[in-house]
Amino acid sequence: MKTILVMGGAGYIGSHTVKHLLKNGYQCVVADNLVYGHREAVPENAVFMQADLMDKESLKKVFDSFDIEAVIHFAAFAYVGESVVHPQKYYMNNVVGTLNLLEAMKEAGVMKIVFSSTCATYGEPQYTPIDEAHPQNPINPYGRSKLMIEQIFQDYAKAYGLKYIALRYFNAAGCDGEGEIGESHTPETHLIPLILKAIKGEREAIQVFGTDYPTKDGTCIRDYIHVEDLALAHRLALEKLDVFSGYLNLGTGIGSSVKEMIQAAEEVSGRTCPVRYAERRAGDPAVLFADNKKAKEILGWSPAYTDIREIIRTAWNWELHKRY
Ligand code: UDP
């Protein structure tokens, strides 16, 4: 039986996608270097292989061992701040690493890929909602590394017949509705888990980065898209690779402010969140939210979670019962 290779399948979005694929009758091989991924996040009915994008032999071994039909590629470093300080790490792992993966795919005759891209490829928005035609001027090495890969896909499609869909995520959020897997980053930098840790008393307070943005309440607005909705979009993308190659935004199309997120988390948990107002964080645009029409049209996809309370509820459940 043909198998889907999930590179980076032990990470946050990857593991939720693996769970979704298995539930929908797919066979999966999960490959991960476990630098940021969690072995516990890989279900028992998925095959696991430790592999690293920078180790071509380990990639070759994966392709030699299984009859792989397509690859979903999540494996990347994804800390924006770190990418500014250590660009080499980001260009090597994200760009060179993906070239290594493409080389192994090509040698094995596997020419289908679904890729984790990001709204960070757009940079400072010129208008919102952001559609796929919005100019791409990323403002940090992380965003640039993802844009470079998008561009490499175009050339590989022309020259070698690669079929690709790059999914540009907005803010991935929430956890598995069944509470089996969830978000666990070290260090944690994302808003929702940090709010929940402040509510639990694991952190002193949530720092709100900037209160003087030109938004309704002065705090930044983002588009929080549930990780299960992302997982679904990856499966639908896999199923569309024969008829479509290109780029799709994945967001709800709804913008929520940092203050709204804190208030929603207080409602969901029934507890108060200690808050500290702080300076703006460098590189944060005031408002980012998606025009998701193209993903809806091409994939027949629609996000199930459109209420931030429901998204936060799944994250709160994980925060209270997490396994890793
Ligand atoms: N944010 C915040 N305090 C934090 C972490 C994040 O105020 O401790 C804000 C951040 O400025 C942004 C939003 O929350 O407007 C989402 O940030 P996150 O790092 O989760 O995702 P990003 O938008 O950077 O991908």
Side-chain angles (χ1 to χ4, degrees):
M1 186 182 166
K2 293 242 181 187
T3 296
I4 306 301
L5 169 61
V6 185
M7 280 303 301
Y12 170 43
I13 306 171
S15 61
H16 287 80
T17 302
V18 169
K19 178 170 175 176
H20 176 86
L21 289 173
L22 292 171
K23 265 195 175 173
N24 283 275
Y26 282 84
Q27 194 163 294
C28 292
V29 176
V30 173
D32 201 294
N33 63 6
L34 298 180
V35 169
Y36 289 116
H38 303 273
R39 183 67 184 83
E40 306 93 310
V42 182
E44 273 164 20
N45 49 342
V47 179
F48 177 78
M49 284 188 83
Q50 193 152 351
D52 191 303
L53 292 173
M54 299 313 290
D55 175 358
K56 288 190 188 185
E57 273 309 306
S58 73
L59 296 176
K60 185 172 162 21
K61 204 165 151 200
V62 174
F63 285 94
D64 285 348
S65 306
F66 301 95
D67 185 12
I68 291 165
E69 184 182 359
V71 177
I72 309 186
H73 175 28
F74 294 98
F77 291 134
Y79 289 107
V80 170
E82 184 187 53
S83 81
V84 175
V85 183
H86 296 298
Q88 176 172 287
K89 177 173 172 180
Y90 279 71
Y91 290 123
M92 288 302 270
N93 189 77
N94 294 3
V95 182
V96 177
T98 300
L99 286 167
N100 289 342
L101 174 64
L102 288 169
E103 184 181 323
M105 287 172 62
K106 196 160 149 279
E107 272 167 20
V110 179
M111 293 311 276
K112 289 183 179 182
I113 189 164
V114 175
F115 173 66
S116 301
S117 189
T118 166
C119 67
T121 60
Y122 294 115
E124 189 67 40
Q126 296 178 12
Y127 57 84
T128 51
I130 297 175
D131 59 17
E132 290 80 355
H134 186 287
Q136 287 178 293
N137 295 304
I139 56 171
N140 51 62
Y142 167 67
R144 271 192 285 277
S145 73
K146 293 285 183 174
L147 177 57
M148 286 175 190
I149 300 163
E150 287 195 357
Q151 293 169 338
I152 289 167
F153 288 155
Q154 276 184 33
D155 294 334
Y156 276 52
K158 272 195 212 119
Y160 311 127
L162 181 73
K163 295 175 175 179
Y164 67 94
I165 297 181
L167 298 171
R168 295 177 184 155
Y169 316 147
F170 282 65
N171 287 58
C175 299
D176 174 34
E178 293 171 343
E180 289 178 350
I181 50 177
E183 181 170 17
S184 187
H185 295 113
T186 311
E188 187 53 80
T189 60
H190 295 109
L191 181 67
I192 296 175
L194 290 177
I195 291 174
L196 299 179
K197 286 179 201 309
I199 287 179
K200 270 174 83 189
E202 269 177 40
R203 296 177 68 95
E204 208 177 295
I206 181 73
Q207 286 192 62
V208 174
F209 295 144
T211 52
D212 59 351
Y213 282 100
T215 59
K216 54 191 166 187
D217 61 19
T219 65
C220 283
I221 290 180
R222 294 289 180 275
D223 182 336
Y224 296 89
I225 175 79
H226 197 273
V227 67
E228 288 184 304
D229 285 323
L230 293 180
L232 167 64
H234 285 78
R235 174 171 66 82
L236 297 174
L238 266 184
E239 293 167 0
K240 280 285 181 293
L241 282 170
D242 279 325
V243 293
F244 173 82
S245 281
Y247 313 101
L248 299 173
N249 285 343
L250 294 180
T252 59
I254 303 163
S256 305
S257 75
V258 173
K259 279 190 181 168
E260 285 171 336
M261 296 303 283
I262 294 169
Q263 196 192 336
E266 290 184 330
E267 277 174 39
V268 166
S269 63
R271 304 189 201 173
T272 306
C273 181
V275 174
R276 214 170 69 224
Y277 294 107
E279 290 301 303
R280 290 183 179 197
R281 185 172 69 177
D284 270 342
V287 180
L288 286 175
F289 62 100
D291 179 327
N292 62 11
K293 275 194 223 67
K294 193 172 167 193
K296 284 181 167 169
E297 250 169 57
I298 302 272
L299 301 180
W301 168 84
S302 187
Y305 286 88
T306 52
D307 179 344
I308 51 170
R309 277 159 206 78
E310 294 311 312
I311 294 176
I312 292 171
R313 201 180 306 285
T314 62
W316 178 236
N317 181 47
W318 172 251
E319 200 55 53
L320 293 176
H321 307 292
K322 60 165 68 165
R323 295 190 297 118
Y324 52 85

